[in-house]
Amino acid sequence: MDPLIAEAEDARPTPPGKLYAISDIHLSFQGNREALAQLEPRPNDGLILCGDIGESAEHCRLAFTTVTTCFRTVFWAPGNHELYTLPSQKETGLRGEAKYMECVEVAREFGVLTPEDDFAIWDGEGGPCLIAPIFTLYDYSFRPHDVKFEDALQWAKDEGMEPTDEYLLHPDPYSSRPEWCEALVARTEAKLEAAVAAHPGVQLIIVNHWPLREDLVNLWQIPRFSLWCGTKKTEDWHKRFRAKVVVSGHLHIRRTDWRDDTRFEEVSLGYPRQWKECKDKGMDINDFLREILPGPEQPPPGKRDTIWRRWG
């Protein structure tokens, strides 16, 4: 072969490889920061960070510095922890939408794609698919039918449930988190509709920190935490918007489910105490990267039981 031709072929970009995901890496914990430092390079692959990196811009920078060094393309959707205004920032810290946009700007410093960017086509293994990071928050609608909206918070408090969100996640400039959620859902719905119309025949990978469906929220020890886990307004989005896979976190209960012909992946790492047993068995953060694309083969109808992923 002509040396010039061989050199040109060597210079051609390698097609993207696989697409992985992880969420809830909670870098405020030293054990999780140490775990992130063990991330192995996968320079031909992509990574989804599905929220709850940490509570500060510094946590985001640490995460994005590491993952963009290891992966070819990185996508991010925010979790509730990125939106927190810590007590030390009570007087001067950013709140609500401004805090979210600060995270978006940090992501853009590293070329990380966010819900504020155009959805990107993934042409790697399992593609082409449109990668759609979104941000919807929650509206307290994941509750029993006999519990009224105005009674929902007291219903949770009756079992000692009052998460940190109620004190640190501010909805500014909206009057409440449900109002912010309503605006986010309307905006996201329009963006997804436009994406589906613009890419006929291309399936989506929807990435949201909060589960899209209430029936995927199984919290046996703290069932009333469901209030802070999503909104019923997204229940059918996997069908409406041709989702091949829906990726979420938040629950710290790793699992794979199928609804209709869509695969749902909960990809949390969690707090150090929650994956200590795995660490004691010699596992590290690389063992918790969930393969989204190409992913496992879809089981036939009748055999699509939940896969509980205790070990990653």
Side-chain angles (χ1 to χ4, degrees):
M1 178 182 293
D2 188 304
L4 292 178
I5 295 176
E7 182 178 349
E9 290 186 350
D10 289 341
R12 287 186 303 187
T14 305
K18 296 181 178 182
L19 179 64
Y20 294 91
I22 194 169
S23 74
D24 297 79
I25 60 175
H26 292 289
L27 296 182
S28 57
F29 291 88
Q30 181 178 346
N32 281 16
R33 294 194 298 273
E34 293 171 351
L36 180 65
Q38 295 180 301
L39 192 65
E40 297 172 354
R42 297 173 183 261
N44 198 40
D45 297 330
L47 180 69
I48 291 166
L49 278 177
C50 201
D52 277 8
I53 289 173
E55 294 76 31
S56 68
E58 288 70 29
H59 290 149
C60 290
R61 285 194 176 90
L62 173 58
F64 296 149
T65 297
T66 302
V67 300
T68 55
T69 300
C70 293
F71 287 86
R72 177 174 182 158
T73 308
V74 178
F75 306 87
W76 166 79
N80 49 311
H81 280 251
E82 282 97 330
L83 307 176
Y84 284 178
T85 303
L86 300 177
S88 61
Q89 305 167 323
K90 184 176 180 180
E91 301 299 327
T92 59
L94 297 174
R95 293 164 59 105
E97 193 172 73
K99 181 69 189 294
Y100 163 60
M101 289 307 301
E102 178 186 50
C103 296
V104 170
E105 292 307 315
V106 172
R108 287 174 170 170
E109 292 175 19
F110 293 87
V112 172
L113 295 172
T114 80
E116 302 305 309
D117 299 307
D118 293 336
F119 298 152
I121 290 287
W122 175 261
D123 281 325
E125 295 182 39
C129 288
L130 198 62
I131 312 300
I134 65 173
F135 171 32
T136 61
L137 208 55
Y138 50 81
D139 60 3
Y140 308 138
S141 60
F142 283 5
R143 64 182 192 272
H145 294 294
D146 60 347
V147 177
K148 297 179 181 178
F149 172 79
E150 57 268 27
D151 299 328
L153 290 178
Q154 187 58 53
W155 170 76
K157 287 181 182 179
D158 287 345
E159 287 197 354
M161 185 56 56
E162 193 171 17
T164 306
D165 285 25
E166 292 298 308
Y167 300 96
L168 300 185
L169 202 168
H170 304 288
D172 307 36
Y174 299 93
S175 64
S176 67
R177 284 175 288 277
E179 183 182 318
W180 190 9
C181 174
E182 183 177 7
L184 289 167
V185 166
R187 179 184 175 202
T188 303
E189 195 169 29
K191 185 175 180 180
L192 289 168
E193 287 174 348
V196 168
H199 298 87
V202 178
Q203 290 185 290
L204 270 65
I205 308 298
I206 298 179
V207 177
N208 192 42
H209 180 68
W210 294 272
L212 295 190
R213 294 177 56 88
E214 186 179 13
D215 63 0
L216 298 177
V217 180
N218 302 114
L219 302 167
W220 300 280
Q221 295 182 334
I222 50 171
R224 298 191 185 190
F225 183 72
S226 63
L227 288 186
W228 293 270
C229 291
T231 169
K232 290 182 178 179
K233 294 174 181 176
T234 61
E235 184 88 3
D236 67 345
W237 280 15
H238 67 293
K239 290 191 295 185
R240 285 182 57 195
F241 302 123
R242 297 198 305 259
K244 182 173 185 176
V245 188
V246 175
V247 185
S248 66
H250 192 57
L251 304 181
H252 295 199
I253 301 174
R254 295 178 292 275
R255 58 191 285 181
T256 301
D257 294 273
W258 285 265
R259 294 293 184 271
D260 304 302
D261 289 322
T262 300
R263 174 164 44 98
F264 287 77
E265 298 280 11
E266 207 282 359
V267 298
S268 300
L269 176 64
Y271 303 127
R273 69 179 185 274
Q274 294 174 321
W275 62 280
K276 181 180 183 300
E277 189 177 6
C278 298
K279 184 178 179 181
D280 290 345
K281 289 183 177 292
M283 299 173 66
D284 64 23
I285 194 170
N286 299 286
D287 297 300
F288 293 92
L289 297 178
R290 187 76 49 79
E291 183 181 308
I292 304 303
L293 291 176
E297 291 187 11
Q298 180 171 285
K303 295 187 177 180
R304 298 178 184 175
D305 297 330
T306 297
I307 299 174
W308 302 100
R309 296 191 177 274
R310 177 182 180 185
W311 307 110

